[in-house]
Amino acid sequence: MDDHRRWPEPVVPVQSLSDSGLTSVPEKYVKPTSDRPSLEAQLDPGLTMPVVDLRGIYDGSVDSRSAMATIWDACKEWGFFQVINHGVRPDLVEEMKGVWREFFRRPLDEKQGYANSPATYEGYGSRVGVEKGAVLDWGDYYFLHLLPRSITSHDRHWPARPSTLRKVTEEYGGEVFKLCGALLRVLSMGLGLDEEYLRRAFGGDGTAACVRVNLYPKCPQPELTLGLSPHSDPGGLTVLLADDHVEGLQVRKDGAWLTVQPVPGAFIVNVGDQIEVISNGIYKSVDHRVIANSKDERLSIAFFYNPEGDVAIGPARKLLTPQLPPLYPCITFNEYRMYVRKRGPSGKSQMKSLKLY
């Protein structure tokens, strides 16, 4: 039986490869020709992801209905949207980026003291999935559980330096958690369900949150590899704090890849697999990936708002009819997450393999 508690090969931080000055990408990072970004057809560059001003939703103004309708349409047609006036303090956002940039500048041996394993992924890492000989992605990350308190990452998983990192990360996480709660209510109403439906389906007070801070170092041959392979997010909602200066995120739209242009001060929000399941396919979780860059490193911070691990997730009964039967079976998030982690990023194949028809 495979051991999913250990990496199948030694893990080499990509940042250390980039800093070494190498001029070519090691073979284990070279993607098959069909998966390389340079060969993909691109969409009309004038096509842009929907941007939603949340101010009306928070203050209950007449603009709130328009904002909610934009979110509903985006979740059906894109699986992604950007939000401005989201309620998270700009200074806290800057602090969050600052402490994590400082961490990734720490000495390599210090960072490796927090090296993770595939058992929980908590800590400092550079790969996802435990398939031996898999082609790897050009990126490093740090993963932590934030909520509920019963599963918050143990002290040993939190970097000691910079000294303010934990305080800033937990405060930031708390603010983005509130944002996700507001968005979940909007999504519930868009399905014709009561506004607390999705929160209850996620486990109520047991709803979970975790954060993955991504560093994509400079790459000598970005046309041969990817910062992160195509995948949909296994959880509920993802709120991404993208790099202000370096593009990298691409979203699959109408069969081609669209490079996202982050709006200053915005978060990028996307639907995860669990919301696609509960909505019975009305809302879509969508393939996305990260391209590499030869000129600049890129930092992004993904906040994941997820169901409680042992709660069974299935299509909402109110959405089912004889003509629209359930597309997906009931499965706990822990079961689904383990299934995804074993396989690593692989587009929408995990969701497709679970479909009932």
Side-chain angles (χ1 to χ4, degrees), residues 15-28:
Q15 188 179 15
S16 69
L17 296 175
S18 179
D19 290 347
S20 73
L22 49 71
T23 57
S24 62
V25 172
E27 190 66 27
K28 67 170 66 175

Side-chain angles (χ1 to χ4, degrees), residues 187-210:
L187 296 188
S188 292
M189 290 187 283
L191 295 171
L193 306 171
D194 75 82
E195 66 178 34
E196 292 298 319
Y197 183 91
L198 285 173
R199 181 177 179 274
R200 289 197 304 272
F202 274 34
D205 291 341
T207 300
C210 50

Side-chain angles (χ1 to χ4, degrees), residues 205-265:
D205 291 341
T207 300
C210 50
V211 64
R212 174 176 155 144
V213 185
N214 307 291
L215 183 79
Y216 302 104
K218 290 186 288 186
C219 177
Q221 294 176 296
E223 71 279 5
L224 297 182
T225 190
L226 288 167
L228 186 58
S229 294
H231 64 288
S232 60
D233 290 343
L237 278 179
T238 302
V239 176
L240 182 74
L241 175 57
D243 196 300
D244 291 335
H245 307 294
V246 185
E247 295 173 358
L249 176 65
Q250 292 188 327
V251 173
R252 193 184 289 278
K253 174 67 174 167
D254 299 332
W257 291 104
L258 175 73
T259 300
V260 178
Q261 314 288 333
V263 173

Side-chain angles (χ1 to χ4, degrees), residues 10 55 128 193 264 308 352:
R55 183 183 288 118
V128 177
L193 306 171
E308 187 174 2
K352 290 178 180 177

Side-chain angles (χ1 to χ4, degrees), residues 22 36 46 54 82 86 119-120 135 165 182 204 298 303 317 337:
L22 49 71
R36 296 176 190 173
L54 296 185
Q82 298 193 56
H86 43 65
T120 68
V135 179
L165 183 145
R298 178 175 177 269
F303 179 93
R317 290 184 179 180
R337 177 164 51 188

Side-chain angles (χ1 to χ4, degrees), residues 112-190:
Q112 288 187 308
Y114 302 101
N116 70 354
S117 80
T120 68
Y121 279 83
E122 291 167 285
Y124 178 59
S126 299
R127 68 175 293 165
V128 177
V130 294
E131 180 188 348
K132 190 171 184 178
V135 179
L136 303 180
D137 291 332
W138 193 262
D140 300 328
Y141 64 87
Y142 206 104
F143 180 80
L144 290 162
H145 288 290
L146 301 180
L147 294 168
R149 294 300 178 191
S150 59
I151 64 166
T152 299
S153 291
H154 191 276
D155 291 350
R156 68 177 180 275
H157 293 304
W158 286 88
R161 289 181 287 186
S163 60
T164 58
L165 183 145
R166 181 166 186 170
K167 176 180 179 294
V168 170
T169 301
E170 290 184 330
E171 185 176 358
Y172 173 87
E175 291 300 305
V176 180
F177 191 85
K178 293 176 188 175
L179 167 62
C180 289
L183 292 173
L184 216 63
R185 289 191 288 274
V186 172
L187 296 188
S188 292
M189 290 187 283

